[in-house]
Amino acid sequence: MAQKPTACLALADGTVFYGQGFGATGEVVAELVFNTAMTGYQEIMTDPSYASQIVTFTFPHIGNTGVTTQDDEASEPVASGIVVKWDPTEPSSWRANSNLISWMEKRGRLGIGGIDTRRLTRAIRQQGSPHVVLAHDPEGSFDIAKMVAKARDWKGLVGLDLAKEVTCAQSYRWDEGLWSWPGAFGKSDQPKPFRVVAIDYGAKRNILRSLAQSGAEVTVLPATATAEDVLAHNPEGVFLSNGPGDPAATGAYAVPMIQTLLEKDLPIFGICLGHQMLALALGAKTVKMGHGHHGANHPVRDVETGKVEITSMNHGFAVDAQTLPEGVIETHVSLFDGSNCGLRMTKRPVFSVQHHPEASPGPQDSAYLFDRFADAMRARR
Ligand SMILES: NC(=O)CC[C@H](N)C(=O)O
């Protein structure tokens, strides 16, 4: 006899999926997305850009390498919940210091297993990141009508500023990774490390590590930092991080700040939400995408060289390239749907990309962008 369901996922259109719950119990409303990466479930769940989203993993074996603090992209899992095909099993990895289920349970994150993730992914593609309610109740008692109504009433991510909720409370220094830079500790004739201020809109740790590995002494400031706060650190370059929510909503305070920095002739580098907000600051517009891009195998063409990079992606909004003003060009394009993946100012060292060059998880084809930022700071010195 089939197992009694202990979790269920109700879509706003009334479709319901039943499965086995794991992790924390309770109920959560969120936007539902799918991620096609075959590895890196822990990095994905702890990526702050997934706030208010539930991730369906199209890869069926999730949990089999457990979790390890070394792979955290933030101190906690941020995705509201996960949907998987097979129930997670005991981990088999020497790196694991916990298993996925108890890690999620302790941190209040819900999971549902035993789902036909192919069928669900088709629904996500057709409906465009539906609003859903995920519930986990060991007794298996669910009020479906109420869940569907809650999903339908939820306002969604458009207009939502979540960066404020995931940003750091106070500024801090990030040096991890700097030791592996050839110039660290005066080891070679490399210049002294570059003073970089990184604005934390929900920054992934591997971005900060990658900046440090390319020679940056990073000071991280909260999302609401003003241009004066940034300039007080006398930066040689400013980095705008990834993050959750709607760039237009976060832009309410971030855009004027970035516009002031743009007057200072500093190298500026943005990733994902940082890319979108830089575009807004330059006068372009952002739009909500159909079902967004979430995976580790997304081909992107460098428009200027014709070279194709395989990239890591996680975004549901995009810059409308048609709205880029004069003096700003599109540098990268998605080969999946032609959407914008990069821009740069033609006459200034200001550039950004939609994809994730820090590749955590994902391929490292775009890592050169961190060196490009360091080169811009070196040229300015
Ligand atoms: N990874 C990110 O920075 C995501 C940016 C933005 N929240 C989006 O979904 O498009």
Side-chain angles (χ1 to χ4, degrees):
M1 202 179 82
Q3 263 182 310
K4 182 179 165 192
T6 55
C8 93
L9 182 72
L11 279 57
D13 77 338
T15 314
V16 180
F17 287 77
Y18 290 96
Q20 294 306 311
F22 58 87
T25 56
E27 193 181 275
V28 65
V29 62
E31 178 185 279
L32 184 65
V33 299
F34 65 88
N35 189 308
T36 53
M38 294 172 76
T39 58
Y41 54 83
Q42 185 184 343
E43 291 90 326
I44 290 165
M45 293 173 68
T46 54
D47 174 351
S49 302
Y50 280 110
S52 282
Q53 289 178 319
I54 292 172
V55 183
T56 303
F57 287 103
T58 58
F59 186 70
H61 300 287
I62 297 299
N64 47 8
T65 53
V67 290
T68 165
T69 42
Q70 289 168 21
D71 290 349
D72 280 338
E73 288 295 339
S75 53
E76 298 289 335
V78 187
S80 304
I82 63 171
V83 182
V84 301
K85 182 163 173 62
W86 300 107
D87 296 337
T89 51
E90 272 302 303
S92 173
S93 166
W94 61 269
R95 294 181 72 243
N97 49 31
S98 179
N99 75 50
L100 179 67
I101 294 179
S102 58
W103 180 77
M104 287 176 62
E105 196 177 339
K106 284 194 195 111
R107 289 160 180 83
R109 303 290 140 175
L110 279 64
I112 182 169
I115 297 299
D116 179 352
T117 48
R118 288 182 171 222
R119 186 180 145 225
L120 182 59
T121 298
R122 271 200 299 273
I124 297 171
R125 286 179 61 97
Q126 279 155 12
Q127 298 179 25
S129 305
H131 299 172
V132 298
V133 168
L134 170 61
H136 174 199
D137 173 14
E139 302 301 321
S141 123
F142 304 108
D143 185 339
I144 300 299
K146 225 167 150 185
M147 287 172 69
V148 171
K150 190 168 170 184
R152 203 173 285 146
D153 292 344
W154 189 60
K155 294 210 166 42
L157 294 180
V158 175
L160 206 58
D161 168 24
L162 292 167
K164 264 201 207 128
E165 290 175 29
V166 297
T167 188
C168 54
Q170 281 172 344
S171 67
Y172 62 95
R173 271 284 297 270
W174 180 281
D175 290 327
E176 190 192 323
L178 192 56
W179 56 269
S180 59
W181 175 59
F185 314 120
K187 270 193 296 200
S188 71
D189 56 359
Q190 295 275 342
K192 282 218 285 286
F194 305 105
R195 291 183 308 278
V196 169
V197 167
I199 314 295
D200 173 17
Y201 298 113
K204 291 171 70 185
R205 288 180 178 166
N206 204 41
I207 292 186
L208 303 176
R209 201 175 287 123
S210 302
L211 285 167
Q213 279 163 355
S214 62
E217 247 171 27
V218 185
T219 303
V220 185
L221 296 188
T224 50
T226 62
E228 291 71 45
D229 296 336
V230 174
L231 297 170
H233 291 272
N234 191 19
E236 299 178 87
V238 176
F239 173 75
L240 308 170
S241 87
N242 64 296
D246 185 343
T250 312
Y253 53 90
V255 163
M257 188 294 265
I258 298 168
Q259 282 169 336
T260 309
L261 292 181
L262 282 169
E263 291 163 12
K264 304 291 173 199
D265 210 21
L266 280 168
I268 298 180
F269 175 28
I271 291 179
C272 218
L273 185 71
H275 162 67
Q276 298 163 352
M277 290 193 305
L278 177 62
L280 291 171
L282 289 165
K285 292 203 160 54
T286 52
V287 290
K288 179 90 167 94
M289 303 167 81
H291 51 75
H293 292 157
H294 311 274
N297 62 346
H298 285 231
V300 162
R301 186 160 51 86
D302 180 328
V303 179
E304 295 175 283
T305 61
K307 210 170 148 184
V308 174
E309 301 160 31
I310 303 301
T311 72
S312 187
M313 290 268 192
N314 168 26
H315 65 113
F317 293 83
V319 173
D320 177 357
Q322 303 302 322
T323 63
L324 289 175
E326 224 184 287
V328 180
I329 55 169
E330 179 170 63
T331 54
H332 296 79
V333 174
S334 162
L335 290 180
F336 276 169
D337 61 8
S339 61
N340 172 266
C341 289
L343 65 80
R344 75 175 171 86
M345 291 183 80
T346 49
K347 298 209 167 78
R348 304 257 305 275
V350 171
F351 64 99
S352 58
V353 286
Q354 185 62 73
H355 47 283
H356 281 265
E358 85 286 358
S360 184
Q364 296 172 357
D365 298 18
S366 311
Y368 68 90
L369 290 159
F370 290 101
D371 293 332
R372 188 173 285 180
F373 185 44
D375 288 346
M377 291 186 283
R378 189 174 293 117
R380 184 173 171 273
R381 263 187 190 170

